[in-house]
Amino acid sequence: MKCRLNEINKLVIHYLIPMPHTRPIISVEDDEDDQYLIKRILEELGVPNKLIFFQNGQKALDYLTSTMEKPLMIFCDINMPVMNGLELLEVIENSPYLKKKAIPFIFLSTSADKNTIEYAYQLSVQGYFVKESNFDVYRSRIGRAVHYWLDCLHPNNMA
C-alpha cells in the first residue's frame, strides 16, 4: 500500500508542479533576425519548451503580470523601443509578485558596455552575453544557459 501511495504522490506532484521542460522560454527581442536565430538554436538543441517572443519589455511585462505561468527563463535584449531590457528587469526586481516567480533573467545584447553590465548585475541579472556573430559559439552559449536552468534545482520545479 505504501508503494502505491508513493506512486500516486509522484503523479500528483508531476501534474501540480510544472516540470522545467513544460515551462515556456520567454524572448524579449525586437529584431526579427535575432528572433529567428534564437528559435533556430533552441530547435537545433532539441529544447522542447515553448518559445514566446515579445517585441519590447512592456509587452513582456504585460504577459508576466497577467499569467500564472512561471517561465523557465527570460532571454532579453537591452536596446528596444517602449521599455528596454534594463527597465524591464528593474520592474521585475521591484515587484513582489514578479520577484516571487523567480524567473531567471539573461541578457543577450550587442552592447558590451562596462557600465551597462555592472548595472545589469546590480539588478540581479543571472547572465549577460554578447550576441555572437559566430553561430556555433552563440548556439553553445545559449545551450549552456538553457541546460543549466533545465538541470538545476529551482523553486519553480520543486514540491
Side-chain angles (χ1 to χ4, degrees), residues 13-41:
I13 288 170
H14 175 75
Y15 287 104
L16 292 180
I17 299 172
M19 300 312 290
H21 63 276
T22 63
R23 298 192 343 254
I25 295 173
I26 303 299
S27 176
V28 188
E29 174 59 68
D30 63 325
D31 185 279
E32 290 183 11
D33 292 334
D34 287 333
Q35 288 180 8
Y36 169 77
L37 285 176
I38 292 167
K39 183 176 188 284
R40 180 175 163 202
I41 286 169

Side-chain angles (χ1 to χ4, degrees), residues 52-68:
I52 304 173
F53 285 105
F54 296 99
Q55 297 288 324
N56 61 61
Q58 185 61 56
K59 289 182 179 184
L61 180 61
D62 293 344
Y63 168 79
L64 292 169
T65 57
S66 65
T67 184
M68 296 299 292

